[in-house]
Amino acid sequence: MIELPKDKLKATRKSPKTLILYGPPKIGKTTILSQLENNLILDLEKGADFLDSLRIGVDNPDHLKEIGREIIKAGRPYKHVSLDTITLLEEWCEMEATNKYKQSLMGKNFKGNSILSLPNGAGYGLLREEVMPYIRNILPMFAEHIIVVGHLRDKLIVDKKGEEVSAKDIDLTGKLRNMVCAQADAVGYLFRDGDKLMVSFETKEDVVCGSRCDHLKGQTFEFSWDRIYID
């Protein structure tokens, strides 16, 4: 029997369950992951090999799922699990989706190298179907907090004055970016200010970021895990 609420319920969470961090290559994304206590880095790009870190190399999507099953079997021993990076996971999923399509009845005569070359943008939907289960269902089973790291993509947009400006965006394809970001409680853009690594959750016209968490909304600060995870 379903009991409907009669009064407002108290908030049960302050810190992001799913956090997305993105920024330029070599800015220090993997370094900060290595500094977070009890954080397992799912190292797709093999960049954590240069750091003292809690890490495991990931070779392909099937390997990622196998690692996940072992994490669950072990009783989810990590407070945080980080995917480094979703940019590479998308590339793997594109290959996976292409192979699946070629093996299907509809795609048996397809000779292209990528489903993204299918007419009318049909391949983009197939790519989203391959990537989104990781964000919605698979990764959240691994730990209390999930961190998804991505690379930066600079793109040109037209601002309110009608002028083209460079916009900062996570490097994902088409609508997939919006769907991935919608699943996150906070999206932070990493950048350098001199020697300081900064993170911005301040939504702007030329930067894709933001947060559902009150302590992160509209904030830009020198990166610190203590300022992100407060409970």
Side-chain angles (χ1 to χ4, degrees):
M1 182 177 178
I2 298 175
E3 185 176 347
L4 299 175
K6 298 180 178 63
D7 301 299
K8 285 185 179 180
L9 301 177
K10 296 289 186 181
T12 58
R13 225 168 0 110
K14 294 180 180 178
S15 300
K17 180 173 176 59
T18 300
L19 168 68
I20 294 175
L21 296 172
Y22 74 98
K26 307 300 183 290
I27 198 171
K29 298 187 290 295
T30 305
T31 299
I32 58 175
L33 294 180
S34 71
Q35 295 167 350
L36 178 60
E37 192 68 25
N38 199 17
N39 173 40
L40 176 67
I41 303 172
L42 301 174
D43 189 14
L44 279 63
E45 300 201 348
K46 308 301 190 291
D49 290 349
F50 296 93
L51 301 163
D52 293 339
S53 54
L54 190 62
R55 66 182 184 271
I56 185 167
V58 183
D59 298 325
N60 53 57
D62 287 338
H63 190 206
L64 176 58
K65 293 173 185 175
E66 183 182 352
I67 293 168
R69 287 192 289 269
E70 291 300 317
I71 292 172
I72 294 168
K73 189 187 299 183
R76 303 204 317 166
Y78 310 105
K79 185 172 183 179
H80 311 271
V81 168
S82 299
L83 181 74
D84 188 10
T85 63
I86 190 171
T87 307
L88 183 53
L89 178 63
E90 183 193 2
E91 292 180 16
W92 289 354
C93 287
E94 182 183 339
M95 291 186 287
E96 191 89 351
T98 300
N99 290 333
K100 286 182 179 179
Y101 183 72
K102 287 182 176 181
Q103 293 167 14
S104 70
L105 186 62
M106 184 179 296
K108 64 180 181 180
N109 296 320
F110 179 63
K111 304 301 182 184
N113 295 321
S114 170
I115 51 167
L116 300 186
S117 65
L118 287 171
N120 303 317
Y124 289 89
L126 295 174
L127 175 61
R128 293 193 292 270
E129 289 175 7
E130 197 69 32
V131 175
M132 288 310 298
Y134 289 96
I135 306 302
R136 288 176 175 152
N137 309 118
I138 298 174
L139 289 172
M141 292 192 296
F142 296 173
E144 178 183 354
H145 298 288
I146 300 300
I147 303 162
V148 176
V149 173
H151 290 311
L152 171 72
R153 176 178 63 190
D154 274 315
K155 66 178 184 179
L156 291 176
I157 63 170
V158 178
D159 66 10
K160 293 178 180 178
K161 298 178 181 178
E163 299 175 353
E164 283 193 342
V165 296
S166 176
K168 311 301 182 186
D169 199 354
I170 187 168
D171 189 11
L172 291 171
T173 302
K175 295 179 182 177
L176 181 59
R177 181 212 65 181
N178 294 338
M179 294 175 70
V180 168
C181 290
Q183 291 296 312
D185 299 309
V187 179
Y189 166 58
L190 297 167
F191 64 98
R192 286 280 176 186
D193 182 5
D195 293 333
K196 296 179 180 179
L197 178 63
M198 308 293 290
V199 61
S200 176
F201 297 95
E202 186 178 358
T203 303
K204 297 180 180 178
E205 186 177 356
D206 60 343
V207 181
V208 175
C209 52
S211 176
R212 297 186 182 112
C213 309
D214 286 340
H215 67 290
L216 298 177
K217 285 179 182 177
Q219 298 296 308
T220 298
F221 51 84
E222 184 174 0
F223 190 91
S224 167
W225 288 117
D226 290 338
R227 291 196 62 173
I228 294 175
Y229 294 112
I230 61 174
D231 57 0

